[in-house]
Amino acid sequence: MHDPIDIIRSAVQVNTTISNEGLSKEYGLAIGRNLELNCRKGLMTRDLTTNAMVIASAGADARMAGAPVSVVANSGSGNQGITATMPVVATARWLDIDEEKMLRAVTLSNLIAIRIKAKFGRLSNLCGATVAATGAACGIAYLLGGGYHEVCCTIQNMVGNITGMVCDGAKADCALKISTCVNAACQAAAMGVRGVRVQSTDGIVEHNVEYTLDNFATLSTHGTSDSVILDLMLNKHLPETE
């Protein structure tokens, strides 16, 4: 029997291939290629965050334009597979982290994305990149030295930030949304590893990360109307009842 980690190793290899393909040609809006061009022109700094944005969005550019290249999906979505995998791979390579730790981080990312998507159900009005990028943020936090507490802080930061991005169909600008979510993921992870998190006094974020994810899922299934959001904000769980 093959080592289960081979599934993740394959995801890294396959999704790296489509990312490279997206950088090789002008697919769709060419978000990845244009980010790369911005760096060369001095309009953006080539750093860990921008590099992760380039690599992830390039894969989505190619996929949404119909490039004849395979993708390893997450929760039934190729874009979510790219988003849960490639930012973590990009971070590991930027930090010169060994393959074993990188694969652990990619595994963590994909599992958290699956955990959140399971709460959402089969269809959602929210963009799946928000879910996959939350997983990626956790993988990045792990690579930056974070443990359980820091990963939880990272999730709280993601939900406090990008919740509400709608899914308006599969099209070229999915790559643009992915670049935005990856940017947020890197910021959330950097905050999380310092123990900085969005507090339970803010928005739909709760003291317990599972309750926060429940609120995230409620928005995904019931919509983001004023009444739904107010109900979540006004009926939070008190810390002492958890």
Side-chain angles (χ1 to χ4, degrees):
M1 181 177 179
H2 293 297
D3 188 335
I5 203 67
D6 286 342
I7 298 172
I8 299 299
R9 186 177 286 109
S10 175
V12 170
Q13 294 170 347
V14 171
N15 291 346
T16 295
T17 298
I18 196 168
S19 175
N20 291 338
E21 177 67 19
L23 288 172
S24 71
K25 301 174 185 175
E26 289 283 332
Y27 285 107
L29 296 175
I31 302 302
R33 279 173 64 93
N34 280 298
L35 286 170
E36 181 80 45
L37 179 62
N38 289 341
C39 292
R40 292 202 301 268
K41 287 184 173 181
L43 299 177
M44 300 177 72
T45 301
R46 186 60 180 258
D47 54 20
L48 183 153
T49 298
T50 308
N51 191 57
M53 293 166 64
V54 167
I55 290 172
S57 57
D61 284 325
R63 179 175 182 271
M64 301 316 295
V69 183
S70 298
V71 177
V72 174
N74 181 287
S75 304
S77 165
N79 276 350
Q80 289 179 55
I82 292 168
T83 307
T85 301
M86 294 315 298
V88 183
V89 173
T91 299
R93 290 173 177 166
W94 185 270
L95 298 174
D96 196 25
I97 288 173
D98 63 82
E99 184 189 43
E100 180 181 354
K101 188 168 184 178
M102 177 190 73
L103 293 175
R104 288 176 180 273
V106 174
T107 301
L108 175 66
S109 172
N110 277 273
L111 288 175
I112 289 178
I114 291 169
R115 173 77 174 95
I116 299 172
K117 193 64 174 65
K119 289 177 176 282
F120 276 36
R122 293 178 66 85
L123 293 174
S124 170
N125 66 316
L126 298 184
C127 177
T130 62
V131 175
T134 300
C138 296
I140 293 169
Y142 171 74
L143 291 175
L144 293 175
Y148 175 77
H149 173 71
E150 290 75 20
V151 165
C152 288
C153 288
T154 298
I155 294 173
Q156 303 280 33
N157 293 336
M158 286 296 283
V159 175
N161 186 4
I162 58 173
T163 297
M165 180 181 284
V166 299
C167 174
D168 53 350
K171 66 265 185 257
D173 89 325
C174 288
L176 185 58
K177 292 185 179 186
I178 287 171
S179 71
T180 297
C181 290
V182 172
N183 187 316
C186 292
Q187 183 178 14
M191 293 170 61
V193 295
R194 298 197 307 272
V196 179
R197 51 153 289 190
V198 175
Q199 296 300 306
S200 58
T201 52
D202 298 351
I204 67 165
V205 172
E206 300 238 17
H207 180 75
N208 183 295
V209 70
E210 287 294 338
Y211 291 142
T212 296
L213 291 178
D214 287 341
N215 290 347
F216 190 16
T218 295
L219 292 181
S220 80
T221 54
H222 291 78
T224 55
S225 66
D226 289 350
S227 60
V228 173
I229 294 172
L230 281 172
D231 182 64
L232 294 176
M233 292 172 66
L234 296 173
N235 294 284
K236 294 184 179 182
H237 300 79
L238 297 175
E240 58 266 29
T241 65
E242 296 174 3

